[in-house]
C-alpha cells in the first residue's frame, strides 16, 4: 500500500491520461455508428455489407492493428492519435450491429403513426426512432465503454502513456503490486465510465426503467413502455 | 505506405523463413498455443454453459459476468500471472484460459437458452428424456451460437497470445516485441500483418463451421435471422 501513496501523483496522472484516451473512441463510436446502423437496418444488402465489414474489423487483433495504424495514417508510431483511431474503429465495429438492432426494435406501427401525424423523415428519426432505440444503444455503448477502457492499456506497449504503464514497469521490476494497482485503476475507470453512461441514460431517457436495461440486444424493449 | 513494402519485403526474405525465429515456426507456435488454450477453455466452460442453459439457471449472471470480465485488461492479467507463477509457457497459458472461458461459457449458455421453449416442451411431451432433449433438440438447434462463443474466444486468444509475447514465449507476437526495442518497424509490421491474416482466416473458418452446423430444417426458415454471430460480437474482447 505504501507504494500507492508514494506514487499517487503518477497513478493520478496516468489515470487522467487513460480517461482522456478512452472517452473519444466511445463518443465517436456512438456518433459514427448512428448513420451506419441506420443504413444497416434500412436495406438487407447494406446490412450484409456493413455488418460483414464490422465483423472483419472487429476480428483484427488489437496490438497488430495498433502497430499497423501509423502506416495507414502516415503518423509516427508514438503518436497517441493512432490509439484513438484504432479504438474508434473497434467501437464503431461493435456499435453498428447494436445500432441496427436498436433501430429494428422500434415498432413499425410507431414510426408509421409518427409519419401519419405529420413528422418529416428527419424529425421522426431524431424524436421517435432514436429515443426508442436508446435503451439498446445504451446497452451496446456500455459494452463498448468497458472494452475500450481495458484496451487502452495496450497503448503502453507502443509508448503511449496509459495505466498499462504499470503492467510493463511492474513486469520489468518484478513488482506484482504495481500491476495489481494498474488493474484496479483500470477497472475503476471502467466502472466510473459505466456509471456515467447509466446516469446519462436515466437523464436522457427518463421513461425507461434503467435498472432493467436490456443487455442482450433488441428483444422486448417495447414491451415495458 | 512504403512501410508496407518494407514489411512485405521482410516477409519475402528467405532468411526469415528458417529456424526458430522463422515464419513457419512462429505461425506453428501461435496456432498450437492458441488451439491448446481454446481447447482447454472449451472443455472447462462448454459443459457448464450447456448445463446452465438447459436448466435455464444463470440467466441473470452468465452473460453479464462474461461482459464485466472484459473490464480486466489482458495485458495486466498476463504480466501479473507471469510474476506470480514464474517463467515459462504455463503462466500465460493459465491467463489466456481464464480469459477464454467467459466467451465460451456465454456462447454455450445463450445457444442452449435461445432454443424456443415450445420446441423443448414439445420434445418433452413426446417422451424424450432430459438427456435426449439436450442432445437431440437443444444442442443441434443451439450449436451455431455455441460455436459462436468458441469463435469469439479463439479470436481473443489469438490476439492475446500476440500480447503475451511481452514474456519470453514464442508465437507471432515475438516479431512485434523483438522489433520494438531496435525500432525494426518492418519486422513489427510484418509480424502484425501475419497475425491479422491468421485471425481473419480463423474467423472465416469458424464462420463456415457455424453456417455448416445449422440444421437443414432451420436453414430454410432463417433467411433473415441474426443468429450468425450476434452473441459473438457482443462477447468478444481485444
Amino acid at each position: 500500500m505504501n507504494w500507492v501513496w508514494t506514487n499517487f501523483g503518477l497513478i493520478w496522472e496516468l489515470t487522467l491520461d487513460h480517461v482522456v484516451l478512452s472517452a473519444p473512441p466511445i463518443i465517436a463510436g456512438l456518433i459514427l455508428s448512428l448513420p451506419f446502423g441506420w443504413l444497416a437496418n434500412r436495406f438487407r444488402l447494406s446490412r450484409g455489407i456493413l455488418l460483414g465489414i464490422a465483423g472483419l474489423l472487429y476480428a483484427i487483433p488489437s496490438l497488430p492493428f495498433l502497430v499497423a495504424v501509423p502506416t495507414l495514417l502516415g503518423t509516427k508510431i508514438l503518436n497517441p492519435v493512432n490509439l484513438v483511431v484504432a479504438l474508434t474503429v473497434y467501437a464503431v465495429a461493435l456499435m453498428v450491429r447494436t445500432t441496427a438492432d436498436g433501430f429494428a426494435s422500434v415498432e413499425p406501427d410507431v414510426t408509421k403513426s409518427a409519419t401519419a401525424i405529420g413528422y418529416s423523415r428527419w424529425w421522426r428519426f431524431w424524436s421517435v426512432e432514436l429515443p426508442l432505440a436508446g435503451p439498446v444503444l445504451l446497452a451496446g455503448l456500455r459494452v463498448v465503454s468497458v472494452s475500450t477502457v481495458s484496451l487502452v492499456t495496450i497503448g503502453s506497449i507502443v509508448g503511449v502513456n496509459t495505466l498499462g504503464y504499470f503492467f510493463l514497469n511492474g513486469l520489468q521490476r518484478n513488482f506484482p503490486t504495481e500491476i495489481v494497482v494498474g488493474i484496479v485503476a483500470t477497472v475503476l475507470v471502467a466502472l466510473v465510465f459505466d456509471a456515467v453512461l447509466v446516469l446519462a441514460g436515466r437523464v436522457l431517457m427518463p421513461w425507461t426503467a434503467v435498472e432493467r436495461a436490456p443487455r442482450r440486444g433488441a428483444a422486448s424493449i417495447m414491451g415495458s413502455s | 505506405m512504403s512501410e508496407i513494402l518494407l514489411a512485405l519485403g521482410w516477409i519475402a526474405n528467405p532468411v526469415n523463413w528458417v529456424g526458430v525465429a522463422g515464419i513457419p515456426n512462429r505461425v506453428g507456435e501461435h496456432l498450437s498455443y492458441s488451439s491448446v488454450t481454446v481447447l482447454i477453455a472449451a472443455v472447462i466452460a462448454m459443459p457448464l454453459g450447456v448445463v446452465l442453459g438447459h436448466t435455464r439457471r444463470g440467466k441473470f449472471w452468465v452473460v453479464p459476468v462474461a461482459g464485466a470480465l472484459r473490464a480486466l485488461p489482458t495485458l495486466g492479467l498476463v504480466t501479473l500471472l507471469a510474476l506470480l507463477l514464474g517463467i515459462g509457457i504455463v503462466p500465460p497459458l493459465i491467463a489466456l484460459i481464464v480469459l477464454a472461458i467467459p466467451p465460451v461459457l456465454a456462447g454455450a449458455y445463450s445457444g442452449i437458452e435461445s432454443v424456443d421453449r415450445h420446441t423443448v416442451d414439445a420434445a418433452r411431451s413426446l417422451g424424450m428424456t432430459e438427456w435426449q432433449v439436450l442432445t437431440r433438440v437443444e444442442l443441434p438447434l443451439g450449436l451455431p451460437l455455441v460455436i459462436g462463443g468458441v469463435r469469439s474466444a479463439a479470436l481473443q486468444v489469438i490476439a492475446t497470445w500476440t500480447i503475451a509475447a511481452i514474456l519470453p514465449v514464442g508465437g507471432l507476437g515475438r516479431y512485434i516485441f523483438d522489433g520494438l526495442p531496435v525500432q525494426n518497424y518492418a519486422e513489427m509490421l510484418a509480424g502484425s500483418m501475419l497475425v491479422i491474416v491468421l485471425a481473419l482466416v480463423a474467423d472465416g473458418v469458424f464462420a463456415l463451421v457455424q453456417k455448416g452446423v445449422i440444421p437443414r430444417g432451420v436453414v430454410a426458415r432463417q433467411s433473415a435471422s441474426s443468429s450468425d454471430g450476434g452473441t459473438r460480437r457482443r462477447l468478444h474482447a481485444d
Side-chain angles (χ1 to χ4, degrees), chain B residues 6 37 49 59-60 63 67-68 72 111 114 123 127 136 219 222 232 237-238:
Chain B
L6 287 175
T37 313
K59 184 170 186 138
F60 296 104
V63 175
L72 279 182
S114 72
R136 294 204 195 157
V219 175
Q222 216 182 28
R232 171 179 97 76
D238 274 36

Side-chain angles (χ1 to χ4, degrees), chain A residues 1-167:
Chain A
M1 273 323 260
N2 261 339
W3 186 87
V4 175
W5 298 125
T6 48
N7 290 281
F8 193 78
L10 179 64
I11 297 172
W12 181 244
E13 205 177 299
L14 288 176
T15 303
L16 287 184
D17 288 336
H18 203 95
V19 168
V20 168
L21 288 166
S22 307
I26 300 170
I27 297 167
L30 173 66
I31 295 172
L32 293 174
S33 74
L34 287 180
F36 291 126
W38 185 85
L39 201 62
N41 182 47
R42 187 72 183 77
F43 308 104
R44 178 169 291 186
L45 179 69
S46 55
R47 181 185 174 86
I49 294 172
L50 285 169
L51 296 188
I53 295 174
L56 276 186
L57 288 174
Y58 203 65
I60 298 176
S62 52
L63 179 60
F65 191 35
L66 196 53
V67 171
V69 163
T71 313
L72 304 173
L73 294 181
T75 45
K76 290 256 185 294
I77 188 161
L78 288 173
N79 195 332
V81 167
N82 301 324
L83 183 61
V84 173
V85 169
L87 293 178
T88 302
V89 169
Y90 286 128
V92 176
L94 198 61
M95 274 304 279
V96 166
R97 177 176 287 270
T98 314
T99 319
D101 287 348
F103 288 132
S105 77
V106 179
E107 299 268 353
D109 284 350
V110 176
T111 48
K112 279 182 201 153
S113 309
T115 309
I117 58 174
Y119 278 70
S120 70
R121 257 200 121 79
W122 181 248
W123 184 233
R124 189 187 76 187
F125 174 81
W126 291 106
S127 59
V128 178
E129 292 172 63
L130 188 58
L132 287 178
V136 179
L137 299 191
L138 177 63
L141 201 61
R142 289 175 68 186
V143 175
V144 168
S145 157
V146 164
S147 71
T148 302
V149 169
S150 143
L151 276 174
V152 163
T153 56
I154 306 291
S156 287
I157 295 174
V158 291
V160 180
N161 280 334
T162 79
L163 287 168
Y165 167 81
F166 293 127
F167 307 150

Side-chain angles (χ1 to χ4, degrees), chain A residues 44 47 55-56 58-64 67-68 70-72 77 94 97 143 146-147 150-151 153-154 157 167-168 170-171 174-176 179-180 183 186-187 190 216, chain B residues 3-4 63 70-73 75-77 79-80 83-84 110 113 155 159 162-163 166-167 176-177 180 185 188-189 192 195-196 199-200 203 224 230 232-234 236 238:
Chain A
R44 178 169 291 186
R47 181 185 174 86
L56 276 186
Y58 203 65
I60 298 176
S62 52
L63 179 60
V67 171
T71 313
L72 304 173
I77 188 161
L94 198 61
R97 177 176 287 270
V143 175
V146 164
S147 71
S150 143
L151 276 174
T153 56
I154 306 291
I157 295 174
F167 307 150
L168 306 185
L171 181 70
N174 202 355
F175 187 41
I179 299 181
V180 172
I183 294 178
T186 311
V187 171
R216 301 205 36 228
Chain B
E3 289 97 336
I4 292 184
V63 175
R70 303 160 69 104
L72 279 182
L75 180 61
L77 207 58
T79 48
L80 183 63
L83 285 195
L84 297 182
S110 330
E113 198 248 12
L155 287 176
T162 319
I163 293 167
I166 191 167
L167 309 172
I176 297 178
F177 284 96
L180 192 60
Y185 189 66
M188 291 172 70
L189 189 58
S192 300
V195 183
I196 291 172
L200 292 181
D203 192 43
R232 171 179 97 76
R233 302 236 152 72
R234 260 174 275 128
H236 173 47
D238 274 36

Side-chain angles (χ1 to χ4, degrees), chain B residues 10 22 32 42 46 82 105 113 118 123 134 138 142 144-145 152 170-171 185 191 227 233:
Chain B
W10 190 93
S32 53
M46 215 188 263
L105 183 68
E113 198 248 12
H118 295 110
L134 181 64
E138 290 178 324
L145 275 181
S152 90
Y185 189 66
S227 74
R233 302 236 152 72

Side-chain angles (χ1 to χ4, degrees), chain B residues 104-184:
Chain B
V104 176
L105 183 68
Y109 172 80
S110 330
I112 302 301
E113 198 248 12
S114 72
V115 177
D116 194 337
R117 281 230 87 135
H118 295 110
T119 314
V120 177
D121 289 341
R124 284 210 182 94
S125 73
L126 284 172
M128 285 193 181
T129 62
E130 286 306 301
W131 179 250
Q132 286 172 322
V133 169
L134 181 64
T135 54
R136 294 204 195 157
V137 179
E138 290 178 324
L139 267 178
L141 287 172
L143 204 52
L145 275 181
V146 177
I147 292 176
V150 180
R151 177 182 179 182
S152 90
L155 287 176
Q156 174 171 317
V157 163
I158 290 173
T160 311
W161 271 114
T162 319
I163 293 167
I166 191 167
L167 309 172
V169 297
L172 289 166
R174 222 21 319 116
Y175 296 133
I176 297 178
F177 284 96
D178 289 350
L180 192 60
V182 294
Q183 298 192 355
N184 186 348

